[in-house]
Amino acid sequence: MNPWYIEEGEFDPKKLHSRETVYTIGNGYFGTRGTFEEGYPKATPGTLLFGVFDDIAIAKEELANAPDWLTMKLFVNDERFRLDQGKILDYHRILDMQHGILRRDVRWESPGGIRIRITSERFASLADEHVGVIRYSLTAEELPESEEKLDVLIWSALNMTVGNYDLIHWEPVEQRRDGELLWLQSQTRHSSVQLVQTMSFTSRDCEFQKELIRSDTSPSIRIYKDLAVGETMTVEKVVVMYTSRDVEDPLQTAIEHHHQILQSSASPAESSNHYAVLVEGATYVNPCMQVEPFETLLAEHKKAWHEYWQVSDVIIEGDDRAQQAVRYNIYQLRISVSSHDSRYSIAAKGLTGFGYRGHVFHDTEIFMLPYFIYVHPDIARNLLMYRYRLLPAARAKAKSNGYEGAQYPWESTLSGEETTPPAIVHPETGELIPVLNGKIELHITASIAHGIWQYWQFTGDDEFMREYGTELLLYTAEFWASRVVWNPECSQYEIDNVIGPDEWHEHVNNNAFTNHMARWNIQAAIYALRWLKSTAPDKAKALTQQLDLNEKHLAHWHDVITYISIPKDKGTGLIEQFDGFFKLELFDQEKYQGRTASYQAILGMKVVQYYQIVKQADVLMLLTTLDQQFDLKTKKVNWEYYFPITDHDYGSSLTPAFHVILACELGLVETAYQMFMKGALVDLEDQRGNSDEGIHCACAGAVWQAAILGFAGLRFNDDGYTTTPCWPEGWTRLAFTCFYKGKQLSIDLRK
């Protein structure tokens, strides 16, 4: 096993869609699913652009699947190459994570007996985010005795007839050419984002004919060539993409950029040959030039990936499977986020599939943000600036619900409005169910505040905290202070009618995670305000006046901190997940050995709420999120209660890897490793049968946290950092890089 490679040695049509997700390439500006250039029946090609949305009926908007830039059709002696016909003699596909390259090597026999070998390589340039490149090679291996040569036609196109499943978001605006460069201009139907894609299609030698074909939906370039047995032909396709979100004139920018790429990689051919170009019935003869953009662009692309892995790699020695899996999750985190654009964040499925429609959840701050804070703080800052940009919309949501401050939506896109659909078809049961998360799953507001605080503590970015962070903390604290309700019978503040992280239990009161995080949010806001008063008094005064934070107001905040309901047994330290959880029926999981669905799917949405069975870490997530507020005894007693009643297999993909941190603290090494691999392989092995919808990005972030905060035991304090390694069987080394207050730390642990 090469721990830098994700490989498959045979083609299995049953895994078509999940493999499309797994073999996604991307660079943060766009992600392209791992579909085949030549297509396949019922394939789901997808290229999603960072922050490019279009309207939909129920969930307001979704990332709009762009025209497919991969399309290449191959014909040999009038027989079309396709994997669902003829015979596959050999098949091998590799995602080279070290260099961000997807390669495929196929030996194929046509129905007519022609044997050929096809090699394709593609990448989304990390050095030039607007560029996608394909190199496609064909070798004639064997012909029937009746045939002397191979007539080859390779047809490269931009294909507009793709959508988010059955919904097509783009419509053509214009399609023309600039020399041998074809361009397609399209526009989203409702949001009116313009996209320009330019395409060049070149061959390494001049013994070919080229034809340019205009089309509003599938402009194409065809190359014709004769091959003898043993001969190889290679073509290179370059596509450049710009949108109206990027530049004022995407058409001119894309054309100029593309011509520059071709010119920088062109040199006169050794021969004085010419080749013919057919355009709309007219034939032109052009001098042969050696144009090889692939290698030129590849060198820059490899350099960019090398720089990424220099600081991002987590080295595990003694366990190649774990090493491969952790790198895969780190690869996914990078291709899902822009390195510079703060107008959008990381979606639950990144740019790899249509699941959750590109919406942003608390997954970003709780599961993914820590990786970027520790390793790429500049990107972490952008992710938090996304939330700050949406602060006015969060304030509007709070006001519309009758509260003060800022209430962040459970799902969001660009505007900051709530984009959680009111109802969905349950993915397991097929029933139409109401979705209450947008109305009563509130803890995302505190999760965002926690992300702000973490970023400040680890980066020391006082400028960010002065200009943006403190304001967000104050507004979110004000929301919680207005959301609590005083219960005179118990003499405590309560937060009623919510959904906690365990989404199988709805309309609960005093969810432990929500209440603890709300209290923490108010405490952090008070601390930040004191800091601001001492470092930027004018800014503090302006915010104090803006929120009317007078003495009476702040006194209420302190009362909430003191008297908010925290359901916990003072003797044992056991925390009740919400009011009445311990009174629910115990659930016998032994009856469902061998199941292939979640307990919610088996029991139904209503019945599952009567039982002590948990979808995902709730109390246990609290113990890791606010790690320093709980002692080891409290962690142990809650682990022993909640870990056995959590659905680790078909509940949520978010938390198996998150459990690793607690398990390592408690010395449960074997359990920690099992949970780590369950999270690390969730997509590579399609463990939950839903990877076709996209990568589990939050799980990817949790895997990184599991390795660094769990097995390495990394912790920071006023004196620096400490590590408390927890070594799974076979592991002999764990090395990684992180940043703390601007200083790069290279940590190399050896058993």
Side-chain angles (χ1 to χ4, degrees):
M1 172 188 288
N2 185 327
W4 282 109
Y5 288 175
I6 304 300
E7 301 183 67
E8 60 181 5
E10 61 180 7
F11 172 57
D12 184 353
K14 295 179 182 178
K15 298 180 179 179
L16 178 70
H17 297 133
S18 66
R19 298 287 94 181
E20 290 171 353
T21 294
V22 167
Y23 287 99
T24 296
I25 59 169
N27 56 21
Y29 178 79
F30 72 92
T32 297
R33 288 170 59 80
T35 49
F36 303 131
E37 291 89 351
E38 68 278 359
Y40 196 86
K42 298 183 180 180
T44 53
T47 292
L48 300 175
L49 300 161
F50 190 79
V52 177
F53 284 86
D54 196 35
D55 297 359
I56 51 176
I58 297 177
K60 295 200 174 177
E61 57 184 357
E62 65 183 0
L63 288 176
N65 186 11
D68 184 18
W69 66 276
L70 298 180
T71 303
M72 294 175 67
K73 302 174 184 177
L74 170 63
F75 297 85
V76 289
N77 288 4
D78 294 327
E79 291 188 278
R80 181 175 172 179
F81 165 61
R82 44 192 296 171
L83 293 181
D84 61 321
Q85 296 182 5
K87 183 185 299 182
I88 299 174
L89 305 176
D90 190 28
Y91 174 96
H92 195 205
R93 181 159 60 161
I94 295 174
L95 175 62
D96 177 351
M97 298 179 288
Q98 186 174 16
H99 303 115
I101 304 168
L102 180 61
R103 300 188 182 96
R104 182 175 52 131
D105 197 329
V106 180
R107 290 182 62 247
W108 179 77
E109 182 177 303
S110 75
I114 299 169
R115 290 192 174 187
I116 57 176
R117 178 172 183 164
I118 298 110
T119 302
S120 66
E121 303 167 273
R122 76 171 78 141
F123 62 89
S125 176
L126 198 66
D128 188 343
E129 64 180 14
H130 298 278
V131 176
V133 193
I134 303 173
R135 181 162 64 189
Y136 196 88
S137 296
L138 164 68
T139 301
E141 290 192 341
E142 187 175 322
L143 299 175
E145 293 183 1
S146 59
E147 301 182 26
E148 298 179 355
K149 63 179 181 178
L150 197 64
D151 292 325
V152 177
L153 163 59
I154 303 183
W155 182 345
S156 175
L158 299 170
N159 179 18
M160 285 202 65
T161 60
V162 294
N164 294 52
Y165 301 121
D166 296 329
L167 180 60
I168 295 178
H169 284 292
W170 298 85
E171 57 186 4
V173 175
E174 183 60 277
Q175 190 278 301
R176 294 187 184 180
R177 69 182 181 93
D178 190 290
E180 292 185 31
L181 202 68
L182 286 186
W183 56 264
L184 172 66
Q185 186 174 19
S186 54
Q187 179 173 292
T188 51
R189 294 180 180 273
H190 303 285
S191 59
S192 299
V193 176
Q194 294 228 341
L195 167 66
V196 173
Q197 295 166 297
T198 59
M199 175 179 66
S200 62
F201 196 46
T202 59
S203 181
R204 291 186 173 190
D205 60 66
C206 290
E207 296 177 2
F208 65 87
Q209 290 183 318
K210 182 184 286 190
E211 182 179 11
L212 277 61
I213 300 173
R214 291 190 61 176
S215 168
D216 282 339
T217 58
S218 187
S220 60
I221 302 175
R222 301 179 183 180
I223 288 180
Y224 304 85
K225 183 177 174 62
D226 292 339
L227 282 186
V229 172
E231 285 188 332
T232 299
M233 73 172 294
T234 300
V235 291
E236 298 184 358
K237 177 177 185 175
V238 177
V239 173
V240 173
M241 291 178 268
Y242 279 89
T243 75
S244 53
R245 297 181 77 247
D246 310 320
V247 292
E248 187 174 341
D249 187 349
L251 176 59
Q252 191 61 32
T253 303
I255 291 173
E256 290 177 359
H257 190 169
H258 203 139
H259 278 305
Q260 186 179 22
I261 290 171
L262 296 178
Q263 289 166 7
S264 65
S265 60
S267 59
E270 295 180 2
S271 68
S272 58
N273 290 344
H274 291 69
Y275 63 94
V277 180
L278 180 64
V279 183
E280 298 176 2
T283 301
Y284 303 87
V285 178
N286 292 335
C288 184
M289 296 287 289
Q290 195 74 32
V291 183
E292 297 182 300
F294 188 92
E295 287 296 339
T296 302
L297 293 167
L298 180 62
E300 298 168 351
H301 171 72
K302 282 185 173 181
K303 181 181 177 183
W305 272 108
H306 175 74
E307 292 172 354
Y308 174 73
W309 286 115
Q310 283 282 92
V311 297
S312 304
D313 194 17
V314 172
I315 298 173
I316 298 172
E317 292 186 356
D319 187 341
D320 284 348
R321 189 61 170 145
Q323 175 68 92
Q324 178 197 59
V326 75
R327 281 176 174 157
Y328 182 73
N329 285 280
I330 294 170
Y331 165 84
Q332 288 296 335
L333 289 169
R334 177 60 188 90
I335 70 172
S336 295
V337 63
S338 170
S339 62
H340 58 83
D341 190 347
S342 63
R343 294 171 295 175
Y344 179 53
S345 184
I346 310 180
K349 299 296 184 183
L351 302 175
T352 66
F354 309 133
Y356 296 118
R357 306 179 187 277
H359 294 183
V360 179
F361 297 72
H362 90 135
D363 301 22
T364 303
E365 282 73 27
I366 292 294
F367 298 98
M368 294 180 270
L369 182 65
Y371 164 73
F372 292 103
I373 289 176
Y374 280 72
V375 187
H376 298 281
D378 52 339
I379 295 179
R381 195 181 202 268
N382 288 336
L383 295 174
L384 293 171
M385 282 303 300
Y386 163 77
R387 295 298 192 183
Y388 180 79
R389 289 174 183 272
L390 304 185
L391 184 56
R395 292 176 60 189
K397 176 171 182 176
K399 185 176 181 180
S400 69
N401 289 332
Y403 304 115
E404 304 295 326
Q407 178 187 0
Y408 276 87
W410 181 244
E411 299 182 31
S412 63
T413 54
L414 300 181
S415 68
E417 295 180 2
E418 181 63 70
T419 54
T420 305
I424 63 169
V425 176
H426 194 287
E428 293 175 294
T429 66
E431 59 183 321
L432 183 66
I433 57 172
V435 178
L436 302 175
N437 310 71
K439 297 179 179 179
I440 62 174
E441 190 157 5
L442 309 180
H443 56 88
I444 184 172
T445 295
S447 297
I448 292 167
H450 188 261
I452 293 282
W453 182 267
Q454 274 197 310
Y455 173 78
W456 185 35
Q457 296 302 300
F458 284 95
T459 65
D461 188 348
D462 289 346
E463 188 271 340
F464 172 83
M465 201 63 184
R466 182 175 60 251
E467 299 299 323
Y468 313 109
T470 300
E471 182 180 355
L472 191 146
L473 284 179
L474 291 172
Y475 272 108
T476 52
E478 177 66 354
F479 166 71
W480 293 115
S482 69
R483 179 60 176 80
V484 297
V485 177
W486 178 253
N487 184 337
E489 294 182 6
C490 305
S491 297
Q492 64 183 15
Y493 287 102
E494 299 183 342
I495 301 177
D496 58 1
N497 191 31
V498 301
I499 298 174
D502 170 25
E503 295 171 332
W504 286 352
H505 295 89
E506 301 173 339
H507 300 294
V508 304
N509 298 332
N510 296 315
N511 169 254
F513 184 89
T514 304
N515 285 24
H516 270 274
M517 291 293 288
R519 181 178 67 173
W520 172 89
N521 193 162
I522 298 172
Q523 290 172 323
I526 292 172
Y527 179 94
L529 182 59
R530 288 174 183 162
W531 170 83
L532 194 65
K533 286 179 178 178
S534 66
T535 58
D538 290 343
K539 180 74 172 180
K541 182 179 179 181
L543 286 177
T544 299
Q545 293 175 346
Q546 191 174 314
L547 283 96
D548 190 25
L549 296 177
N550 53 42
E551 290 185 10
K552 182 179 180 180
H553 205 138
L554 291 175
H556 173 61
W557 284 18
H558 284 285
D559 276 350
V560 174
I561 292 170
T562 304
Y563 296 109
I564 192 170
S565 173
I566 301 294
K568 177 181 178 180
D569 187 302
K570 294 181 180 179
T572 65
L574 184 62
I575 298 170
E576 188 170 23
Q577 184 171 300
F578 55 79
D579 288 350
F581 183 83
F582 291 152
K583 296 179 181 178
L584 299 178
E585 292 184 48
L586 297 176
F587 183 75
D588 185 3
Q589 298 183 59
E590 294 297 322
K591 293 181 179 179
Y592 300 94
Q593 292 291 327
R595 66 193 170 94
T596 57
S598 73
Y599 291 120
Q600 186 189 59
I602 294 170
L603 300 175
M605 289 190 63
K606 291 184 180 180
V607 175
V608 76
Q609 300 193 55
Y610 302 144
Y611 291 97
Q612 292 188 44
I613 187 70
V614 178
K615 176 184 178 182
Q616 66 192 63
D618 194 309
V619 171
L620 298 187
M621 189 165 77
L622 169 65
L623 303 183
T624 50
T625 304
L626 300 181
D627 173 69
Q628 296 182 0
Q629 294 192 12
F630 303 96
D631 59 24
L632 200 60
K633 177 185 175 183
T634 300
K635 292 176 180 178
K636 186 174 188 296
V637 70
N638 282 280
W639 171 278
E640 291 174 347
Y641 193 92
Y642 286 103
F643 184 80
I645 62 172
T646 301
D647 187 351
H648 302 291
D649 295 315
Y650 295 99
S652 171
S653 67
L654 300 179
T655 49
F658 224 47
H659 283 114
V660 175
I661 299 171
L662 269 177
C664 287
E665 285 188 85
L666 298 172
L668 305 171
V669 184
E670 185 175 345
T671 300
Y673 182 74
Q674 291 172 354
M675 290 295 103
F676 177 74
M677 295 305 288
K678 191 181 291 290
L681 299 175
V682 66
D683 291 305
L684 289 174
E685 295 184 353
D686 193 17
Q687 293 178 343
R688 295 164 186 270
N690 60 359
S691 293
D692 57 322
E693 296 181 344
I695 289 294
H696 295 79
C697 278
C699 191
V703 166
W704 182 89
Q705 291 189 61
I708 306 309
L709 306 180
F711 293 122
L714 179 66
R715 297 292 185 274
F716 287 90
N717 52 46
D718 293 338
D719 299 322
Y721 73 88
T722 61
T723 57
T724 309
C726 181
W727 296 102
E729 184 177 353
W731 289 28
T732 57
R733 183 187 179 203
L734 180 55
F736 55 93
T737 299
C738 64
F739 292 85
Y740 184 65
K741 296 188 175 179
K743 182 180 179 181
Q744 182 172 332
L745 306 174
S746 297
I747 299 172
D748 196 337
L749 306 175
R750 298 171 188 264
K751 187 175 182 180

